[in-house]
Amino acid sequence: MAGQEQQVRVSIPVSALKRAGIDRDDQLQLKVRNDALVLEKIQPRQPQWQQYLIIWPLLVAILSGLASYGYWWFQKVRPVPLTGAQSIGSLTIVAGVVTGAVLFIGFFLKTRNDPENRFSRHIYWRNFPVITIAFIMILAFALVGAFWVLELLFPDVIFDRFTSMLLLVLFTYFADAFMISAALTINARSLSTILTVVIVSGCVISMAANGQRRWWQHNLSFLGTHAAENAWQFNLTLIFSALLMVVLIDYLFVSLSRIYPRTWRTSTLRILLTLTAIDFGAVGLFPNNLTFHWLHDLVAGGLVTLLVLLIVGVRWLLPAVTKDFLWLSYGVGVVLLLLNFGFRWFGYPSLTAFEIQAFAISFGWLLMLFSRLQALVNEDPGLLTIKLEQESAVADN
C-alpha cells in the first residue's frame, strides 16, 4: 500500500557543518537517541590499518613470546619463575613496554594523519613526547603492579618454558592492545585521566615506599627530600604531571581560540594556568632539602597565590562561566581558607593532613576547570538557528 507521510526539511547553517567537520557532499544519517534527534555523518569504511587492531598486538605478542623462549633456552633457564631475574614478569615488563611504545607511536601517527580525528591533528609535535612517555609510564606501572599482586598470590611458583611463553604472550598482548587502543581514542578527557592517574599513583607509591619512616609525622614535602626513600619518584611525579598539565592547557586554549576570539581574558587565564603548572613542577624540582628549602617554600607559596588568583578571577576570565561553576569555585576558596586558618590558628588539621586535603581540593577544582574548558571547545558560543519546512512525500507502507 502507498500512503502519504508528512516529512520536514531542515536547513542547517554552514558554519555548524564546518565545526562538525561535515562537507556539503557528505552523506548524513538521522538517529533518534534518548528522545533527541542526532544527525551524524555516515563514516566511510575504516582504514585498513585500523582493521588490524586485534591482529597487530597478537602478532607482536607472539614474536615477543618466541624471542623470550629463545632467551630462556639460550640462558638454560628451566623452570622459569613467575617473578625475579630472567622471569616471566621481568621479560613481560620489558617486552610489553618496548613493543607497546613502538605500537603507540606508530598508531598515533596514523591517527594524527586521519582527517576524521580532530583531536590528534591539533596536538603539536612539541607535546607528542610528553604524551608518549605518559602512556608508557601508565603501562609500566600497570605491569609492575600486576606482577607484584601475582607474586603475593602465587609465591615461588614456577612454570616450564612453553607455559611461560604462553603467559608472556597473553600479558604482552593485553599491554599492546591497550597502547593501540589509547593511540586510536586519545582525547582531552583521556589526558585529564592520565594526569590524575600519574599524580595519584606516583604519590601513593612514594607514600608506600616510605611507610616505615613515618613520613606523615613530618609533612607531604618530606617525600621529596633526601631523608625519604626513593625521593626521586615523588619529585619526578610532580615534574612530569606539570608537563602533562602544560600539554593539556596548550591543546585546550588552541582549540578554544578557534571558537572564541582571543582576548586579554582568555590570554590571562592561559598564562595563569601555565604558570600554575610550571610552579607545580618547581615544587618537585626544588625539594624541601637544606639547599633548596627557601626556594621550595617560595614556589609552594607562589602556587597558593596562583590558585587564589584563578579562583577569584574565574568570574571574569573564563568564557561563558556558569553560576554553578562560579559558586563551586567560591566554595572551594572558602574551604581552602578554613583549612588554612584552622591549621595556622588552632593546629587542626595537622600539617600533613592540611597539605593532603588542600592539594586534593585544589587539584580536583583544576580538573573541573579543564573539564569546563573542554565543554566550551565542544559547544558553540551561541545558539544556531535552523529552519524547518514541511513537505509531503510518498511512502510505501
Side-chain angles (χ1 to χ4, degrees):
M1 294 179 59
Q4 294 291 329
E5 179 179 336
Q6 296 295 324
Q7 296 186 354
V8 175
R9 177 181 297 173
V10 181
S11 299
I12 302 175
V14 177
S15 60
L17 296 178
K18 289 182 178 180
R19 286 208 58 233
I22 299 175
D23 296 328
R24 293 187 178 184
D25 298 331
D26 291 334
Q27 291 184 340
L28 305 178
Q29 59 185 2
L30 182 66
K31 296 181 180 180
V32 179
R33 184 182 303 162
N34 297 329
D35 297 329
L37 297 179
V38 180
L39 191 64
E40 297 177 336
K41 179 168 63 173
I42 299 178
Q43 298 293 342
R45 184 182 177 186
Q46 280 189 326
Q48 188 175 11
W49 57 271
Q50 287 190 7
Q51 297 178 2
Y52 293 105
L53 181 59
I54 298 177
I55 297 178
W56 271 105
L58 181 60
L59 178 62
V60 173
I62 292 174
L63 293 177
S64 300
L66 293 175
S68 300
Y69 186 91
Y71 173 82
W72 287 320
W73 179 83
F74 181 78
Q75 295 291 331
K76 299 180 180 180
V77 180
R78 184 177 175 182
V80 182
L82 179 63
T83 58
Q86 299 179 329
S87 64
I88 300 173
S90 59
L91 267 66
T92 299
I93 293 172
V94 173
V97 169
V98 172
T99 60
V102 173
L103 290 173
F104 177 85
I105 293 173
F107 276 82
F108 182 86
L109 295 178
K110 283 283 188 179
T111 306
R112 194 177 188 275
N113 296 326
D114 183 3
E116 301 298 331
N117 193 316
R118 289 182 294 170
F119 178 85
S120 297
R121 289 186 289 112
H122 293 164
I123 294 180
Y124 290 121
W125 289 114
R126 62 176 178 265
N127 297 329
F128 177 64
V130 177
I131 296 175
T132 303
I133 295 174
F135 277 101
I136 293 175
M137 288 178 61
I138 296 296
L139 177 61
F141 286 155
L143 289 175
V144 171
F147 280 100
W148 177 72
V149 173
L150 290 175
E151 183 182 14
L152 295 178
L153 296 176
F154 308 101
D156 302 325
V157 66
I158 55 176
F159 301 94
D160 60 86
R161 291 173 184 166
F162 183 74
T163 304
S164 301
M165 181 189 70
L166 293 179
L167 290 173
L168 186 142
V169 169
L170 180 64
F171 283 109
T172 306
Y173 169 79
F174 284 116
D176 292 340
F178 164 75
M179 295 297 278
I180 293 177
S181 177
L184 296 177
T185 60
I186 185 173
N187 52 35
R189 180 173 297 178
S190 63
L191 278 182
S192 299
T193 303
I194 291 174
L195 176 62
T196 305
V197 171
V198 169
I199 290 181
V200 174
S201 60
C203 292
V204 170
I205 291 174
S206 300
M207 293 176 186
N210 290 275
Q212 301 299 325
R213 290 178 174 260
R214 298 181 182 271
W215 63 270
W216 44 270
Q217 294 182 350
H218 302 272
N219 51 50
L220 188 62
S221 299
F222 174 82
L223 296 174
T225 63
H226 294 312
E229 292 183 359
N230 301 318
W232 63 270
Q233 295 177 353
F234 182 77
N235 295 326
L236 183 62
T237 296
L238 299 182
I239 295 172
F240 194 75
S241 299
L243 293 177
L244 281 175
M245 286 179 63
V246 172
V247 171
L248 185 58
I249 293 166
D250 194 17
Y251 163 75
L252 288 174
F253 279 90
V254 169
S255 302
L256 196 64
S257 64
R258 295 183 171 91
I259 304 173
Y260 291 89
R262 184 175 299 176
T263 63
W264 69 268
R265 291 183 173 88
T266 56
S267 298
T268 303
L269 181 60
R270 180 175 184 176
I271 291 173
L272 287 176
L273 284 172
T274 304
L275 289 176
T276 301
I278 295 174
D279 202 326
F280 184 68
V283 173
L285 185 63
F286 304 110
N288 193 20
N289 295 322
L290 184 61
T291 305
F292 298 112
H293 174 73
W294 67 274
L295 194 53
H296 178 87
D297 288 347
L298 180 63
V299 295
L303 186 60
V304 174
T305 302
L306 288 169
L307 284 171
V308 171
L309 289 176
L310 283 170
I311 292 174
V312 174
V314 72
R315 178 186 184 92
W316 300 277
L317 302 180
L318 181 64
V321 61
T322 62
K323 290 185 177 179
D324 293 339
F325 187 78
L326 192 61
W327 285 110
L328 176 65
S329 301
Y330 291 158
V332 168
V334 171
V335 172
L336 291 176
L337 285 175
L338 290 176
L339 286 174
N340 180 67
F341 292 143
F343 167 71
R344 297 186 182 279
W345 292 353
F346 306 105
Y348 182 85
S350 64
L351 176 58
T352 305
F354 165 70
E355 290 182 335
I356 293 177
Q357 292 173 15
F359 170 77
I361 294 173
S362 301
F363 181 68
W365 180 80
L366 282 175
L367 289 180
M368 288 188 287
L369 178 58
F370 291 146
S371 178
R372 180 57 192 158
L373 288 170
Q374 178 61 34
L376 292 176
V377 172
N378 296 332
E379 295 172 357
D380 231 308
L383 296 177
L384 294 175
T385 303
I386 63 174
K387 184 178 181 181
L388 301 179
E389 298 178 359
Q390 184 171 331
E391 62 178 15
S392 61
V394 178
D396 295 333
N397 294 331

